[in-house]
Structures are given as structure tokens and as C-alpha cells.
Amino acid sequence: MTSRTDVSVTVVIPAYNASRTIAATLKSVMAQTRPDWETIVVDDRSTDDTCAIVEELASRDSRIRLLALEKNNGAPAAPRNCGVESANSPWVAFLDSDDLWHPRKLELQLKVLAETNGSFSCTKMRDFADGATVVDADIESPVKTRRIGFASHRIKGRIPASSVVVSTELARKFPFEEDPSYKAVEDYHCWLRILHSGVHCIKLEEPLLNYRRIAGQISGSKFKMMRRIFNVHRNFERTPLISAAFFTGSHVVLALYLRLIKKGL
């Protein structure tokens, strides 16, 4: 699709039976200090009131639109890809249907991308318990940043999916893998491929993403995640077995430290 000059960034939100959280997620987008966005909620054949809630909010804010898929895909990869293909802007931002953004997230990320001539960015995140009240902290300027490359991301994923802003061109060049074996790691695999191409990710060292911790999330099973991470590494550029095992081990150990002790990424 062609870009619209009045929209700088397209927010892509995959949703499935998200009626309990989708309104809060969308309101965190509507509260952005950077107003030139559009949001596409890609519904993966929800059986609850997700679509009705999105349509009601869309009736109040024309920047929001609903894209209802014809069949359920069982994972966010296909809905994200559909959202990217429907984007009307040069940038795409990803947001899961139960996460929340800091009001200045898009403003600060797009500013850093412009200043650095970058094409791929993420931010720090912090966890919050489902049902807890989120209070966004004041952000000091200038925001500190660091560059994430292929090697460091392979040892431990450092790019939260709901924090990413990436050029639409890159997002279309490196779509999410829709094979079921990549479920819950399709984002890690996607960022790995982008970084392997020579692009660096500019990470803002502020928790501009609030990640909701919910029992039963698809990324919650540690054993399944280990197996899926191993498969990502084993299948990537024909990585030898021992190297795939090393990268999987480092990823899991560091993930446990960051998520259980530091409560963020």
C-alpha cells in the first residue's frame, strides 16, 4: 500500500479474545504525545467482544481501524504480517493486545530514529502484574541509547516485541515466520534475521513498555520456550548442534535473571 503523508507510524496490534485488555492497550496508544499515528487491530477470529470494543473506540478515533481475519491462525505471526502489509506509513510499531505504552514512547523513539538515521529501534520494558495500576515515570532528556547487534541478541534476546519501531520496508522484507514451530519465538527469530542482515537496533534505555504478566501466556512455558529457542538457533544458517545448545542455554539463563530478578528487559 502507498504511504499517507499525514501518518508517520502504523501501530499493529494482533488480537485474539482480548476483550479484557484491548481497551486499555488502545487507550495507551491514544494517549501518545506523538499524534500522527494509525492503529490497525488485526483480530484473529476472536469469539468474545474484542471486535465490538475495538469498533466502539474506532468510532471515537478515526486513527483506529479493525482488520478482521477470515480464519484463526493460532499465533500472532500471521496477524502481524497482515497488519504490516496494510500499513499506510513509513514506520511500523508492534504492540500486543495486553501491553501498555508510556505516553512518550512514539515521540522519543521516532526522534532517536530521525537523529541517528536508524531503521530499527526498541526500548526497555518493565513487568507489571495483571490487575495492577501502572504509573508511568518521568523521562529525563536526552534519553540514553545503545546499539544491539546480531551477536549480543543471539546470546540473549534483548528486543521486546511490543517496544519495536521498525521501517515498513524492513518489516516487509523480514516477515514473521508463520510456521507453528515458531510460535512465541517468531519475534526473536524476526529480529535475529534483521540484525544478521547488518542492521543494528537502537535501544532506548528507558522502560517505555509496560509488559503485562498473565498466567497462561503463550510465552510462559519455560520448557517449550527452551525447545523453540533451540530450534531457532539450530535452523538458523545451519548452526552446529553444540552451538545451538550454547545459545539456547545462554538465552534461558540470562532471561531468567532479567525477568525474575530485574523484572524487566
Side-chain angles (χ1 to χ4, degrees):
M1 297 184 66
T2 56
S3 297
R4 283 169 46 190
T5 57
D6 60 331
V7 176
S8 291
V9 57
T10 299
V11 184
V12 174
I13 304 178
Y16 176 71
N17 286 354
S19 61
R20 195 169 61 84
T21 60
I22 189 64
T25 296
L26 282 170
K27 287 175 182 177
S28 79
V29 178
M30 296 165 72
Q32 291 297 298
T33 55
R34 178 86 182 230
D36 53 341
W37 51 263
E38 66 168 355
T39 293
I40 305 173
V41 179
V42 188
D43 183 72
D44 202 20
R45 299 298 295 176
S46 292
T47 58
D48 64 1
D49 295 331
T50 298
C51 289
I53 293 169
V54 174
E55 288 174 335
E56 195 279 327
L57 286 170
S59 71
R60 292 192 266 152
D61 193 325
S62 62
R63 295 172 297 178
I64 299 171
R65 59 188 168 110
L66 174 69
L67 177 58
L69 301 183
E70 295 182 354
K71 67 180 184 69
N72 175 264
N73 294 273
R80 285 189 187 127
N81 288 338
C82 289
V84 169
E85 288 304 315
S86 299
N88 286 308
S89 64
W91 297 101
V92 172
F94 296 106
L95 177 59
D96 286 346
S97 61
D98 50 7
D99 295 335
L100 305 174
W101 280 350
H102 187 285
R104 297 186 65 195
K105 179 184 181 294
L106 291 180
E107 170 205 339
L108 293 171
Q109 268 184 288
L110 291 172
K111 182 175 184 290
V112 166
L113 284 164
E115 291 173 344
T116 59
N117 197 29
S119 58
F120 185 22
S121 172
C122 70
T123 79
K124 280 190 172 182
M125 75 175 195
R126 61 175 180 171
D127 293 348
F128 73 98
D130 189 24
T133 300
V134 174
V135 178
D136 290 304
D138 293 333
I139 305 297
E140 295 184 5
S141 296
V143 177
K144 293 181 180 179
T145 63
R146 64 185 171 105
R147 297 207 317 169
I148 298 174
F150 174 75
S152 61
H153 182 68
R154 196 168 197 190
I155 291 173
K156 167 65 188 84
R158 303 165 191 274
I159 303 174
S162 287
S163 78
V164 164
V165 174
V166 63
S167 73
T168 303
E169 180 182 3
L170 267 181
R172 289 174 178 167
K173 184 177 180 180
F174 297 98
F176 295 96
E177 175 58 63
E178 297 180 18
D179 187 285
S181 64
Y182 285 84
K183 182 178 180 179
V185 294
E186 74 287 327
D187 55 334
Y188 175 65
H189 176 248
C190 181
W191 317 145
L192 201 65
R193 287 155 51 223
I194 292 175
L195 296 172
H196 187 255
S197 74
V199 175
H200 282 81
C201 181
I202 303 168
K203 186 165 187 175
L204 280 66
E205 298 280 46
E206 291 286 353
L208 302 179
L209 164 65
N210 297 294
Y211 177 85
R212 189 189 303 266
R213 302 292 291 178
I214 301 176
Q217 283 171 313
I218 62 173
S219 59
S221 170
K222 298 298 183 288
F223 178 74
K224 286 182 180 179
M225 284 297 290
M226 283 182 64
R227 185 173 62 189
R228 288 168 178 163
I229 291 292
F230 175 81
N231 287 336
V232 166
H233 290 296
R234 189 73 175 99
N235 295 330
F236 196 90
E237 299 287 307
R238 299 182 179 178
T239 301
L241 182 65
I242 191 168
S243 296
F246 167 77
F247 290 125
T248 301
S250 67
H251 183 98
V252 171
V253 169
L254 288 171
L256 289 172
Y257 167 72
L258 291 170
R259 302 309 299 279
L260 298 179
I261 297 176
K262 296 192 72 175
K263 305 295 184 183
L265 181 61

